């Protein structure tokens, strides 16, 4: 059988393995052909590469990268749902696993996402395990840096009762500002946040729900977040004053705590 015949046969087999995914076989065959053209120079090598490919996994990854909703659902059920097990030795909390899953999903999605770079040379599950572990390690490193800064801050406050009192008041202002802003979210922003944080839709999926492109959906999420940050900062500034020694540090904290604060508010408001 010719190389093109082998490619078509493999593409048909992979499509049959995912009957709910309706990506055209010829489109995936062209993707396979491009993969070979980029890595092989002769027919014998191409045939060997084809035989070694995890074609079923590659078909699913390709379907996800072109935005097939059923492919994304299958990826979620079969692979992304395994992320808690992938990262359990690093951090076992469900909230942390959910955060890693969301971040990995965001980085995988779209024609320029990392999933488009999966070549099928190894199992998709192993490839995603590496991606999840790396993301978890990045998050944990960031948390350690924040914890170290907080501990140094507490040590300084312990030696200055007046400073400690000011910090306590600042923390109250911070919590109250967030609570007031999130309680007054406009309906459109609340919907976007619910779909993004509670339903954990990717930008791709969010775009389909809102009848817009992935880029537009991502921009809506970013704008909604920026609006919350501006409103919270305005409340902090109004209560503490822009010249407060803690205003600047609170402004930085607003952005770092945004996602978790929004998620907690939405969860609390829906129960």
């Amino acid at each position: 059988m010719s190389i093109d015949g082998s490619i078509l046969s493999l593409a048909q087999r992979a499509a049959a393995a995912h009957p709910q995914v309706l990506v055209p076989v010829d489109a995936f065959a062209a993707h396979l052909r491009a993969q070979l053209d980029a890595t092989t120079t002769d027919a014998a090598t191409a045939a060997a590469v084809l035989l070694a490919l995890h074609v079923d996994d590659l078909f699913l990854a390709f379907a996800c990268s072109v935005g097939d909703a059923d492919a994304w659902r299958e990826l979620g059920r079969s692979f992304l749902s395994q992320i808690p097990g992938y990262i359990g030795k690093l951090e076992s909390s469900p909230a942390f696993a959910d955060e890693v899953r969301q971040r990995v999903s965001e980085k995988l999605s779209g024609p320029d996402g990392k999933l488009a770079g999966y070549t099928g040379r190894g199992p998709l599950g192993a490839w995603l395990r590496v991606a999840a572990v790396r993301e978890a390690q990045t998050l944990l490193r960031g948390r350690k840096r924040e914890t170290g800064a907080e501990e140094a801050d507490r040590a300084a406050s312990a030696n200055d009762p007046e400073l400690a009192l000011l910090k306590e008041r600042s923390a109250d202002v911070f919590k109250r500002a967030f609570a007031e802003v999130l309680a007054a979210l406009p309906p459109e922003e609340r919907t976007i946040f619910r779909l993004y944080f509670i339903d954990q839709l990717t930008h791709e999926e969010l775009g389909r729900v809102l009848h817009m492109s992935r880029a537009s959906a991502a921009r809506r999420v970013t704008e909604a977040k920026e609006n919350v940050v501006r409103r919270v900062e305005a409340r902090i500034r109004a209560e503490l004053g822009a010249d407060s020694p803690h205003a600047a540090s609170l402004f930085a904290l607003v952005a770092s705590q945004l996602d978790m604060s929004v998620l907690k508010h939405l969860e609390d408001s829906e129960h």
Side-chain angles (χ1 to χ4, degrees):
M1 183 183 293
S2 68
I3 291 297
D4 286 336
S6 296
I7 288 174
L8 181 58
S9 176
L10 286 172
Q12 290 170 336
R13 189 197 76 188
H18 303 281
Q20 76 280 15
V21 177
L22 302 180
V23 170
V25 171
D26 56 351
F28 178 59
H31 180 66
L32 272 178
R33 176 85 258 183
Q35 294 266 35
L36 288 180
D37 290 344
T39 57
T40 61
T41 57
D42 60 86
T45 303
V49 169
L50 279 175
L51 287 175
L53 286 179
H54 294 260
V55 182
D56 293 355
D57 285 351
L58 186 58
F59 177 82
L60 181 62
F62 172 74
C64 288
S65 71
V66 298
D68 185 89
D70 289 315
W72 272 106
R73 280 189 280 273
E74 183 172 340
L75 186 80
R77 287 192 302 269
S78 301
F79 295 100
L80 298 181
S81 64
Q82 304 303 311
I83 283 180
Y86 295 162
I87 64 173
K89 291 183 178 180
L90 297 173
E91 167 62 68
S92 60
S93 77
F96 182 75
D98 286 344
E99 186 175 2
V100 171
R101 190 195 71 82
Q102 181 65 37
R103 289 170 68 108
V104 169
S105 296
E106 291 296 336
K107 291 182 177 180
L108 293 178
S109 62
D112 299 321
K114 289 188 175 181
L115 196 57
Y118 171 67
T119 63
R121 298 299 196 273
L124 181 57
W127 187 86
L128 287 171
R129 178 189 291 271
V130 171
V133 169
R134 286 177 177 170
E135 193 62 45
Q137 290 171 335
T138 298
L139 281 172
L140 289 174
R141 282 195 296 270
R143 288 186 177 183
K144 286 180 180 178
R145 285 193 295 270
E146 290 176 5
T147 300
E150 288 172 359
E151 289 177 350
D153 203 34
R154 281 195 295 270
S157 297
N159 297 320
D160 188 338
E162 185 177 348
L163 179 61
L165 185 61
L166 183 58
K167 286 183 180 295
E168 184 178 344
R169 183 196 169 209
S170 298
D172 289 341
V173 170
F174 175 83
K175 292 177 183 177
R176 186 163 58 253
F178 247 124
E180 291 173 354
V181 168
L182 295 177
L185 279 175
E188 182 182 3
E189 289 181 6
R190 180 175 293 277
T191 297
I192 289 172
F193 283 147
R194 182 179 57 76
L195 293 171
Y196 186 74
F197 288 108
I198 299 296
D199 297 339
Q200 297 185 335
L201 299 188
T202 64
H203 289 151
E204 193 86 34
E205 294 167 331
L206 186 60
R208 285 193 289 271
V209 171
L210 299 178
H211 306 291
M212 61 181 65
S213 68
R214 176 187 180 279
S216 295
R219 187 165 56 252
R220 288 285 186 88
V221 172
T222 299
E223 289 172 351
K225 288 183 177 183
E226 289 174 348
N227 288 339
V228 170
V229 169
R230 281 195 296 270
R231 294 171 196 141
V232 172
E233 288 181 354
R235 278 172 165 75
I236 291 173
R237 190 178 290 109
E239 188 156 351
L240 289 182
D243 297 329
S244 166
H246 292 293
S249 61
L250 285 180
F251 292 161
L253 190 59
V254 169
S256 69
Q257 297 292 314
L258 177 64
D259 286 10
M260 292 306 296
S261 296
V262 172
L263 176 59
K264 185 177 186 307
H265 171 78
L266 292 174
E267 288 177 335
D268 290 345
S269 65
E270 294 190 5
H271 290 86

